[in-house]
Amino acid sequence: MINYHLIVSGQVQGVGFRWSTYQLAKELGLVGFVKNQIDGTVYIIVQGPHEIVRKFIKQVQTGVNQYAHVTNVQIKPGNLIDTKTFSIKESW
């Protein structure tokens, strides 16, 4: 199991990005959360098997839906979290 913290920049708010990210994480069986930040970025904590998390990150980098436009993804390793779900958190 690995855990990563992502900060996604670009046109990622108001375009269904959180919902699409949630759907992707659920499909892949990952845990964590996605949240809009006040600066216009989206913050994601994702955790799961190494190969599946990498697949998730690649899809986030290319955009999880046709309306989002990702310009940058900052990726940092994190500590494992104790959760069994992936959720959408309320904004800031």
Side-chain angles (χ1 to χ4, degrees), residues 24-61:
L24 175 62
K26 295 295 271 185
E27 287 172 17
L28 296 174
L30 300 172
V31 301
F33 68 83
V34 58
K35 175 181 175 180
N36 282 346
Q37 299 196 108
I38 199 164
D39 65 359
T41 62
V42 172
Y43 181 64
I44 303 169
I45 291 182
V46 62
Q47 179 173 296
H50 189 269
E51 299 255 339
I52 297 173
V53 170
R54 283 177 107 48
K55 180 178 180 178
F56 173 87
I57 291 171
K58 283 183 183 179
Q59 192 147 354
V60 166
Q61 289 172 319

